């Protein structure tokens, strides 16, 4: 298999798992993390019809970041596996937590996204770690 497809597959699977993971607070009724609609509403300025552009942004970003993770690991001369990508996912998750908390929650064009609470930040961090682990595991399995 072409090695350049491994991050594509890893990114899709990692993003799918991340999306399901981010639904856990809603299923357990302990929070309402709504990343896809929030991302779409950033683009459209409203919640109505925000899901399709949100999916495109979310999954497109997931694929793009899988390639970025692989490139960073390649240039750092580290092994591509679930551990190294999980570590990059942790760093990425911290950055996303800060961006979501500072920029998006305070300046989102839709008021309902202004106050999401600590559950959103925590779930973003954990989801990015798991995303990285899946990307690393899939890429490792496909290229070796």
């Amino acid at each position: 298999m072409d090695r350049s497809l491994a991050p594509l597959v890893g990114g899709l699977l990692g993003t799918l798992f991340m999306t399901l993971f981010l639904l856990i607070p809603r299923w357990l009724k302990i929070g309402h993390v709504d990343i896809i609609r929030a991302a779409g509403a950033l683009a459209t300025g409203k919640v109505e019809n925000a899901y399709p552009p949100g999916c495109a942004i979310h999954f497109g970003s997931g694929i793009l970041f899988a390639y970025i993770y692989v490139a960073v690991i390649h240039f750092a001369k580290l092994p591509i596996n679930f551990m190294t990508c999980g570590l990059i996912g942790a760093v990425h998750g911290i950055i996303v937590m800060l961006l979501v908390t500072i920029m998006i929650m305070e300046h989102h064009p839709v008021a309902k996204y202004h106050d999401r609470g600590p559950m959103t930040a925590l779930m973003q961090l954990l989801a990015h770690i798991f995303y990285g682990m899946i990307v690393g595991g899939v890429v490792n399995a496909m290229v070796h």
Side-chain angles (χ1 to χ4, degrees):
M1 173 167 278
D2 185 359
R3 294 172 71 97
S4 65
L5 291 179
L8 171 69
V9 174
L12 282 172
L13 290 175
T15 305
L16 179 62
F17 180 81
M18 171 188 267
T19 304
L20 293 172
F21 182 80
L22 289 171
L23 292 173
I24 291 172
R26 188 178 319 168
W27 294 336
L28 296 176
K29 299 183 187 329
I30 58 174
H32 188 75
V33 181
D34 189 13
I35 301 306
I36 292 177
R37 258 193 203 87
L42 273 174
T44 65
K46 56 187 178 175
V47 176
E48 299 78 30
N49 300 321
Y51 196 76
C55 277
I57 292 166
H58 186 62
F59 279 90
S61 297
I63 293 166
L64 174 68
F65 277 105
Y67 282 97
I68 292 170
Y69 281 31
V70 170
V72 166
I73 290 171
H74 173 76
F75 288 119
K77 298 188 186 321
L78 295 170
I80 295 175
N81 57 41
F82 78 98
M83 296 277 294
T84 54
C85 284
L87 179 61
I88 291 176
V91 172
H92 184 195
I94 290 168
I95 293 168
V96 168
M97 270 183 9
L98 293 172
L99 289 175
V100 166
T101 303
I102 296 167
M103 294 177 65
I104 295 173
M105 286 172 52
E106 290 182 11
H107 303 288
H108 199 285
V110 177
K112 80 177 206 168
Y113 294 113
H114 289 187
D115 185 28
R116 284 285 150 196
M119 182 60 68
T120 299
L122 175 63
M123 293 305 287
Q124 282 286 337
L125 174 61
L126 294 174
H128 281 85
I129 293 169
F130 293 138
Y131 164 84
M133 292 171 73
I134 291 170
V135 168
V138 168
V139 170
N140 184 314
M142 289 182 71
V143 300
H144 293 107

